[in-house]
Amino acid sequence: MTVKEVLRAHTAAHENASAETKGEGGHAPSVAPATVAAGRASQELGVRRAEFELAVHLGLIAVTGAPGGGRPRVHEDEIARLREQPGFPDALVERVRTVGTAQAAALLDIAPARFTRLARAGCVSPVTFYLNRYRAVVWLYLADELAAFAAREPELLAGRTPPGMRTMLESGADWRARNWRSQRIDRLLDRTTDPWARTAVQASALDPVQLAEVVDDPYERAYLVRVRPEPVFGRPGSMAAREAMAELMLADDPDEILWRRVNLTLELDSAREDRPAPRPGDDAGARATPPARTGARPRAVRPAPASEPAAPPACTGASRPAAVGRTTRKGLLARLGWRGRGAG
């Protein structure tokens, strides 16, 4: 082989190697950010696993889906960001500190019975729960939110219970599960912009009979089950806990059921306009859920009430939200199949 041939071969090999290391557009492909599993992330952040999972649930720690649908992971850049925050890790731990009834009452310097009345009236909302040895639900509250409530409503911590609240409690009202549902749904909605996934979140608060009345297409109902977002961590492990979760997820008050049906109907309209639900015989990828979108949520065709009030009128003194009155007009109620049933 001549010298010229050797040089040409060397040049061609070098050009081929350069082309392989470049991506589309002639630029070197970007290296995917390194990620770690949840267990290692909690160790590097110096928090317990339960604290880590609650922080993810609250949106304090960003996670990313693992390739192939595995459990979510955490970017090392996110860990670095959190470690650089002032007061780390104590500040993060304090933001996810939860307390039960007795600790909450001590924190607010009131009797446990009074705190229970405030919680039942919807003045404070639980963030999570666990089952005690008797399989009873024990609600837990964010200490930060209790402190904010005390600063915002000091008159409710002393003196006589307001008449409206007293009447509500005497009737047996208990807003704890309802407020927990509402906050959970809002946080799941914050994690997705896909219209069908958002519809599935709203559908999760209705039992099968209620759901079938709003979503009469069985293929759409099946699709909602497939695309429903779930909490990324902290799913209850025991059968009893799963049963309790399933029961607590369902709206159980006529007013709340109507609210959820309205939200579901409006989200369903938006989803249908975005794309139809897949049906048997469809091309496997033709109507699959598109990749997660970035940026703002897709604008709904008509405004839907994003969340119900965090507290009832007896606690806040506020009037009934006008959004319900605006959206529950005759035509929409007819579509919901409500017809005044259970409204009283």
Side-chain angles (χ1 to χ4, degrees), residues 6 91 104 119-120 127 148 166 200 249 253 260 279 300 326 330 342:
V6 172
R120 285 181 53 205
V127 68
R166 187 164 59 249
M249 274 299 304
D253 180 84
R260 291 301 166 197
R279 296 178 179 276
R326 288 197 301 270
K330 183 178 179 180

Side-chain angles (χ1 to χ4, degrees), residues 34 45 59-63 74-85:
L45 292 172
L60 303 178
I61 300 176
V63 296
V74 183
H75 285 299
E76 290 186 348
D77 290 346
E78 176 69 0
I79 296 176
R81 181 188 69 83
L82 293 166
R83 292 175 65 90
E84 292 173 358
Q85 292 184 345

Side-chain angles (χ1 to χ4, degrees), residues 258-259 262 320 322-333 336:
L258 176 58
W259 183 283
V262 168
R320 185 176 178 79
V324 176
R326 288 197 301 270
T327 55
T328 57
R329 53 189 179 272
K330 183 178 179 180
L332 183 54
L333 286 177
L336 292 171

Side-chain angles (χ1 to χ4, degrees), residues 57-241:
H57 173 64
L58 296 175
L60 303 178
I61 300 176
V63 296
T64 183
R71 290 179 66 81
R73 299 173 66 85
V74 183
H75 285 299
E76 290 186 348
D77 290 346
E78 176 69 0
I79 296 176
R81 181 188 69 83
L82 293 166
R83 292 175 65 90
E84 292 173 358
Q85 292 184 345
F88 174 85
D90 296 340
L92 177 61
V93 172
E94 184 61 25
R95 293 182 69 181
V96 297
R97 183 164 69 94
T98 57
V99 293
T101 297
Q103 292 175 302
L107 183 65
L108 299 179
D109 197 21
I110 59 177
R114 189 180 188 98
F115 176 81
T116 299
R117 291 196 298 272
L118 291 173
R120 285 181 53 205
C123 298
V124 291
S125 302
V127 68
T128 187
F129 71 92
Y130 69 90
L131 299 184
N132 62 16
R133 59 180 177 174
Y134 305 107
R135 295 192 175 185
V137 172
V138 179
W139 295 109
L140 298 176
Y141 306 82
L142 283 175
D144 262 4
E145 290 187 356
L146 297 181
F149 165 73
R152 186 176 63 251
E153 305 281 356
E155 67 278 2
L156 292 178
L157 303 181
R160 295 178 59 83
T161 301
M165 184 186 300
R166 187 164 59 249
T167 301
M168 173 189 292
L169 295 173
E170 289 173 354
S171 70
D174 189 342
W175 275 63
R176 288 175 292 185
R178 178 170 179 169
N179 280 348
W180 172 80
R181 276 191 295 273
S182 180
Q183 291 191 358
R184 181 180 184 275
I185 287 173
D186 289 345
R187 285 168 180 141
L188 287 175
L189 289 174
D190 284 340
R191 293 200 183 104
T192 182
T193 58
D194 177 65
W196 280 102
R198 293 176 61 81
T199 304
V201 172
Q202 298 288 359
S204 67
L206 296 175
D207 64 37
V209 174
Q210 297 279 351
L211 178 60
E213 290 181 354
V214 180
V215 187
D216 56 2
D217 188 327
Y219 297 113
E220 290 182 338
R221 293 199 301 273
Y223 190 48
L224 292 178
V225 173
R226 285 166 47 193
V227 301
R228 178 183 303 165
E230 294 293 339
V232 290
F233 296 110
R235 296 183 182 88
S238 68
M239 179 62 70

Side-chain angles (χ1 to χ4, degrees), residues 30-45:
S30 58
V31 178
T35 61
V36 298
R40 180 178 168 186
S42 63
Q43 292 177 356
E44 293 190 11
L45 292 172

